[in-house]
Amino acid sequence: MTPATNIQDKPNGKAPRETVTITDNRTGKQYEIPITDGTIRAMDLRQIKVNDDDFGMMTYDPALMNTAATRSSITYIDGDKGILRYRGYPIEQLAEQSNYLETAYLILNGELPTPAQYKDWEYRIIHRTFLHENVKVLMQAFRYDAHPMGMFISTVAALSTYYPESSDIHDPENRLKQIIRLIAKTPTIAAFSYRHTRGLLYVYPDNDLSYTGNFLRMLDMMTQSKYEPDPVKTRALDVLFILHADHEQNCGTNAMRAIGSSHVDPYSAMAGAAAALYGPLHGGANEEVLRMLTQIGNIKNVPDFIERVKKGEGRLMGFGHRVYKNYDPRAKIIKRTADEVFKVTGVNPLLEIALELERIALQDEYFVKRKLYPNVDFYSGLIYQAMGFPVTFFPVLFAIPRTVGWLAQWQEMLNDPEQKIARPRQIYTGSAQRDYVPLAAR
Ligand code: SDX
């Protein structure tokens, strides 16, 4: 905590530049608070008191709209300029030239791998894709129509019971082992949940295929003696996984960090992060976008739908973002990827409705004033549906690639000497002290 000083004690009565001077008009006292990285430490406000019994000043910031909760070197977003970089590399270049496993290595380790490092990394992931046979039994207990995201969250949490050593979160080697297990096994969990809802036999991983090729095989393999994943769909999925891999302090990552700050194992923490992602305002939005487009049904219904949104009767799902006040750079890349996929699958008939919604929204004052642009979820669902995925599976397709982002952020939190168990304060608005009244007397 920086001790309060009176401005008058400063030479020529002026405070140094990198500070704010706060005058508490209740006491007339002035406080000089240092500015670091464009922020002030909330704890530096606690010295502002009206008397010695005063707890001291706090900030009030519901939903953490204007609060940096951590320092991070993983992902950089400029919401006004629509910039997204993983470890300094622009998302456009990674989507164009990299693949998901290489990007996952970059996000986790901070540097692109050498050929030898990549070979070792890929080998370690590909050879950890199997699930314990008992996990299959656990998954078979779900109802036939269980939501795949509910199955995903539950199964990730259950994995903590198969790897009890994962609770030793302070051992870097042990952490890496669990991180590799989670990156490797989430496609298998997802594929098993998909096959469960279809009433089909589970397909085991094929280590001869790429990360996304193996995933497609576990989803689609039927009677083929040798399943060859479609190269266009495999590449499209790889690009989509790159785009969804991390996004700094989003709701799911905030959950990962908060749960992880109690020093619980990474499986339990990640189940919580996935639960946050499941919400329709977050990663569940891609599912809601398709429901919205289906409900609109025809391009001639778009103007009426837009008017209802402007009256507050619902939201234009897939639009808007807490950080991006410009076009989400991921949405631009996804739109281009959709064109590639549609050449193989045929154009999704809902595309014309989506394009008309975007055309109108980008020129309508209601959306322009609120800086509402398409986000990552607006077009991704159109690709997933064209590739044959059921709408309920869309949040799972978000959670698989986000696994590395959650784990990289979790590990950064554990290694950050400034971090402690997350425990926000509150403004109490309840009753003052009152005495218990026995039941007979009420
Ligand atoms: C993701 O944080 C991340 O990085 C998340 C993510 C990631 O990679 O992890 O990018 C992934 O979650 C993308 C967002 C997916 N969600 C949706 O598409 C759901 C629809 N969008 C919204 O509900 C909303 O835009 C949020 C939740 C994304 C952001 O909400 P904010 O920042 O809390 O903004 P807000 O709700 O306070 O809205 C501000 C104004 C309000 O109007 P007024 O009260 O000022 O009149 O904009 C309006 C809102 O009503 N508004 C919308 C709208 N989004 C905001 N109006 C219509 N349609 C929308 N989609």
Side-chain angles (χ1 to χ4, degrees), residues 65 77 246-247 249-251 277 280-283 285 289 309 314-325 328 330 366-367 370 372 375-377 398 402:
M65 296 277 286
I77 298 174
D246 189 55
H247 213 240
Q249 304 311 313
N250 59 82
C251 182
L277 186 75
L281 293 184
H282 192 11
V289 168
V309 168
R315 291 201 157 188
L316 178 50
M317 300 310 276
F319 259 69
H321 200 279
R322 176 62 57 75
V323 176
Y324 288 124
K325 301 308 171 188
D328 185 330
R330 299 169 296 178
Y366 176 93
F367 300 93
R370 293 168 177 79
L372 301 177
N375 59 46
V376 68
D377 293 313
F398 197 143
R402 187 53 59 89

Side-chain angles (χ1 to χ4, degrees), residues 281-351:
L281 293 184
H282 192 11
N286 53 20
E287 179 179 349
E288 295 305 316
V289 168
L290 260 289
R291 294 188 196 288
M292 173 186 74
L293 296 174
T294 307
Q295 180 211 352
I296 293 170
N298 186 299
I299 193 167
K300 67 179 187 325
N301 301 331
V302 167
D304 284 352
F305 178 81
I306 291 277
E307 285 315 305
R308 284 204 305 279
V309 168
K310 288 160 67 176
K311 284 188 204 134
E313 294 166 19
R315 291 201 157 188
L316 178 50
M317 300 310 276
F319 259 69
H321 200 279
R322 176 62 57 75
V323 176
Y324 288 124
K325 301 308 171 188
N326 198 327
Y327 215 102
D328 185 330
R330 299 169 296 178
K332 285 182 190 164
I333 299 168
I334 289 174
K335 211 169 159 184
R336 285 201 300 275
T337 305
D339 296 339
E340 290 308 307
V341 172
F342 294 158
K343 285 177 193 157
V344 171
T345 63
V347 177
N348 187 321
L350 295 174
L351 176 66

Side-chain angles (χ1 to χ4, degrees), residues 73-76 84-91 93-94 106 110:
S73 60
I74 299 171
T75 292
Y76 173 74
L84 169 58
R85 300 182 195 132
Y86 295 154
R87 302 288 190 176
Y89 294 94
I91 193 70
Q93 293 182 24
L94 292 169
L106 169 68

Side-chain angles (χ1 to χ4, degrees), residues 19-302:
T19 63
V20 282
T21 302
I22 295 174
T23 301
D24 183 347
N25 295 315
R26 300 171 297 180
T27 62
K29 268 181 137 184
Q30 287 194 322
Y31 301 83
E32 185 188 308
I33 311 284
I35 298 168
T36 314
D37 300 314
T39 67
I40 60 168
R41 281 182 170 275
M43 283 305 288
D44 280 351
L45 299 177
R46 283 282 289 282
Q47 59 190 307
I48 301 175
K49 302 183 177 197
V50 289
N51 56 48
D52 291 344
D53 298 338
D54 187 343
F55 177 77
M57 189 166 284
M58 297 189 290
T59 58
Y60 176 53
D61 188 11
L64 304 176
M65 296 277 286
N66 190 42
T67 294
T70 186
R71 293 172 180 282
S72 178
S73 60
I74 299 171
T75 292
Y76 173 74
I77 298 174
D78 181 321
D80 292 327
K81 297 186 185 127
I83 290 172
L84 169 58
R85 300 182 195 132
Y86 295 154
R87 302 288 190 176
Y89 294 94
I91 193 70
E92 293 80 4
Q93 293 182 24
L94 292 169
E96 182 71 30
Q97 304 174 57
S98 185
N99 66 43
Y100 173 70
L101 274 194
E102 182 183 69
T103 300
Y105 182 99
L106 169 68
I107 287 171
L108 204 57
N109 298 292
E111 297 298 334
L112 288 167
T114 62
Q117 287 169 332
Y118 181 71
K119 191 164 182 288
D120 172 61
W121 171 249
E122 186 183 44
Y123 180 89
R124 295 179 74 175
I125 297 284
I126 294 290
H127 289 80
R128 282 271 181 207
T129 51
F130 272 62
L131 287 169
H132 190 292
E133 278 297 290
N134 289 9
V135 175
K136 272 177 46 183
V137 177
L138 177 119
M139 295 185 77
Q140 278 154 7
F142 289 111
R143 263 175 56 118
Y144 68 93
D145 60 352
H147 194 294
M149 197 58 179
M151 289 196 260
F152 180 90
I153 294 163
S154 315
T155 308
V156 166
L159 287 185
S160 67
T161 65
Y162 288 83
Y163 307 112
E165 77 279 7
S166 63
S167 59
D168 179 7
I169 56 158
H170 300 292
D171 172 357
E173 266 313 299
N174 185 35
R175 278 204 306 267
L176 179 60
K177 197 169 166 185
Q178 313 313 323
I179 288 171
I180 286 173
R181 278 177 167 147
L182 274 162
I183 294 171
K185 296 178 194 305
T186 42
T188 312
I189 294 171
F192 282 14
S193 66
Y194 174 78
R195 301 284 288 197
H196 174 84
T197 56
R198 298 279 307 278
L200 296 171
L201 267 179
Y202 295 173
V203 175
Y204 283 54
D206 177 343
N207 295 343
D208 295 337
L209 295 173
S210 69
Y211 187 80
T212 40
N214 173 41
F215 179 47
L216 286 174
R217 178 180 173 279
M218 290 191 288
L219 291 164
D220 296 339
M221 174 89 169
M222 298 303 268
T223 58
Q224 304 91 324
S225 54
K226 179 71 182 156
Y227 176 90
E228 293 297 338
D230 178 284
V232 172
K233 289 181 182 179
T234 303
R235 179 59 193 158
L237 216 43
D238 223 26
V239 170
L240 284 159
F241 279 14
I242 289 170
L243 298 176
H244 286 83
D246 189 55
H247 213 240
E248 56 133 284
Q249 304 311 313
N250 59 82
C251 182
T253 297
N254 184 50
M256 184 80 187
R257 282 175 168 263
I259 299 167
S261 74
S262 72
H263 289 181
V264 75
D265 69 86
Y267 300 95
S268 304
M270 189 174 126
L277 186 75
Y278 190 10
L281 293 184
H282 192 11
N286 53 20
E287 179 179 349
E288 295 305 316
V289 168
L290 260 289
R291 294 188 196 288
M292 173 186 74
L293 296 174
T294 307
Q295 180 211 352
I296 293 170
N298 186 299
I299 193 167
K300 67 179 187 325
N301 301 331
V302 167

